[in-house]
Amino acid sequence: MNSYFGRVSYGLKDKYLLTGTLRVDGSSRFGKNNKYGTFPSAGLGWIMSHEDFMKGTSSWLDNFKIHTSYGRTGNTEIDPYRSLALIEAKTTLINGSRQATGQMNRMPNPDLEWEKTDQFDVGINLNMFRNRVNVELDYYYKITDDLLLERPLPFTTGFENVWENMGRVDNSGIDFLLNTINIDTKDFTWESTLNLNYNKNEIKRLGENNEDIITNPGFVGGNIILRVGESLSSFYGYERLGIWGTDEAEEAAKVNAVPGEAKRSKERTITGNGMPKVTGSFINKFYYKNFDLLVDLQFVTGVDTWQLFFHSAEDRTGIANGLNTILYDGWTETNQNTMVQQIRQQNYSGQNSTSDSHWVANGAYLRGNLLQLGYAFDSKLINKWKMQNMRVNFSVSNAFLIHSKDFK
């Protein structure tokens, strides 16, 4: 890395604020034609509460600031040498004996360049009632262009893929932060912090023809698909339509299936998404005399989880330990309205295991991230022990997790 950067800031009458930054960064990870990128940013702020026409609000309004900014950042998160053609040492049978040889194992791309993200945001900072209520609200829009991706190549090239800048992804959302002092007395104080982020993600462009890219070839057909109009981290697999019934034996036989076996769609489709729409935390702090209590809760919603372990834990019985659903919900002749396949011996037909929508669960959760109880010893007591302060605490991390019943 080789970087040059400068920053300038200016304030006028403690009301109007301007900040400008310019960076020029170079990285040896990129092609010889595009090692450097230029990344400017600028921010404007207006402390409206300092204006004369806001003087009547001074009894309850401590600070009111409006701000906006634009900036460009770069991403170098690829492994070194991805722009280069590398030689791999091999041995080859020549004239009946093994000979040391070398062959090119990667397609070079001297034009590989920085992935760039342009972000615009506008927001407010609000402090009220002697800073007992503080609000930060921001709207942002991010455009990530020249995505660093591996483009699949035809097998006739002799290579599987090549690293290129070949796409655009847009993110837009809202950040919200609320900090309050709910109770503040001589012996007892209660403070709360609520943090929320809503994000919408959409792929806008992929390559020259906006072709789908199926990446991360997963276990038994589990894939992630990049598709224009969809979000990143979209799961790509079959839809489980049910379990073949005894009255469908002839139809099942046409696709080499038997009653009790999973019935799936003919084509793969998007079955879920691993990128959450809403993330956040709710933190409460309590102080009573020398005691303090911290309750830190974390939550996520609008996200799916792909449980690939269903391959051996539910769909293939008699091979490994399994979920109890194979016993309680498994298909039988008297229980055919189910999504769980029939219990079968290892060498019996119907051991049908392929990634599908049945493996996808609602990934929303509420986590007890941290619970901590503390006690600070009185200074008069510990001064006798020639100590300035002492505090003991008891804490539990990851104390509990509330989640969907389908999440195992």
Side-chain angles (χ1 to χ4, degrees), residues 180-196:
T180 59
I181 301 177
N182 307 305
I183 299 176
D184 188 14
T185 64
K186 179 181 178 182
D187 292 331
F188 181 68
T189 302
W190 172 23
E191 301 177 3
S192 297
T193 301
L194 175 64
N195 179 34
L196 284 170

Side-chain angles (χ1 to χ4, degrees), residues 25-67:
D25 295 289
S27 172
S28 60
R29 297 188 180 194
F30 298 111
K32 62 180 181 180
N33 298 333
N34 291 306
K35 291 192 180 297
Y36 281 86
T38 302
F39 307 103
S41 66
L44 295 172
W46 177 25
I47 305 179
M48 188 184 295
S49 54
H50 288 181
E51 296 287 357
D52 292 339
F53 61 80
M54 296 291 288
K55 288 184 177 180
T57 63
S58 58
S59 61
W60 60 273
L61 182 64
D62 303 307
N63 180 60
F64 181 35
K65 177 183 177 182
I66 300 175
H67 59 85

Side-chain angles (χ1 to χ4, degrees), residues 82-86 104 106-111 159 161-163:
R82 296 298 167 178
S83 67
L84 303 178
L86 300 185
M104 194 166 73
R106 181 181 299 142
M107 177 78 78
N109 181 5
D111 295 321
F159 303 96
N161 48 57
V162 61
W163 278 92

Side-chain angles (χ1 to χ4, degrees), residues 242-247 258-261 325-344:
I243 305 296
W244 290 106
T246 53
D247 59 342
V258 295
E261 189 176 348
T325 53
I326 62 178
L327 179 62
Y328 297 115
D329 302 325
W331 184 97
T332 65
E333 292 187 358
T334 58
N335 179 38
Q336 300 196 23
N337 186 24
T338 179
M339 282 289 185
V340 182
Q341 299 188 73
Q342 182 184 22
I343 297 178
R344 296 180 183 273

Side-chain angles (χ1 to χ4, degrees), residues 251-264:
E251 184 180 355
K254 296 178 182 179
V255 292
N256 297 319
V258 295
E261 189 176 348
K263 177 167 52 174
R264 301 183 178 91

Side-chain angles (χ1 to χ4, degrees), residues 70-178:
Y70 161 81
R72 169 174 287 189
T73 56
N75 177 25
T76 65
E77 292 306 307
I78 58 173
D79 291 333
Y81 317 120
R82 296 298 167 178
S83 67
L84 303 178
L86 300 185
I87 301 298
E88 181 180 13
K90 291 278 191 177
T91 57
T92 305
L93 195 64
I94 301 176
N95 295 328
S97 63
R98 297 176 67 86
Q99 302 293 331
T101 61
Q103 69 179 48
M104 194 166 73
N105 70 349
R106 181 181 299 142
M107 177 78 78
N109 181 5
D111 295 321
L112 191 67
E113 61 179 309
W114 288 78
E115 179 180 293
K116 297 175 281 290
T117 297
D118 293 283
Q119 176 170 333
F120 163 81
D121 74 76
V122 59
I124 62 171
N125 296 77
L126 188 61
N127 306 85
M128 299 176 289
F129 309 113
R130 296 183 180 179
N131 291 314
R132 290 190 60 163
V133 178
N134 305 298
V135 178
E136 295 181 20
L137 179 64
D138 289 271
Y139 167 80
Y140 63 85
Y141 196 96
K142 295 196 295 185
I143 298 175
T144 302
D145 213 346
D146 295 326
L147 288 174
L148 292 166
L149 296 171
E150 288 184 282
R151 181 170 68 87
L153 294 173
F155 290 125
T156 52
T157 64
F159 303 96
E160 293 183 2
N161 48 57
V162 61
W163 278 92
E164 286 190 358
N165 301 95
M166 53 173 301
R168 168 182 161 180
V169 174
D170 288 9
N171 284 274
S172 60
I174 295 173
D175 286 325
F176 175 74
L177 178 66
L178 173 65

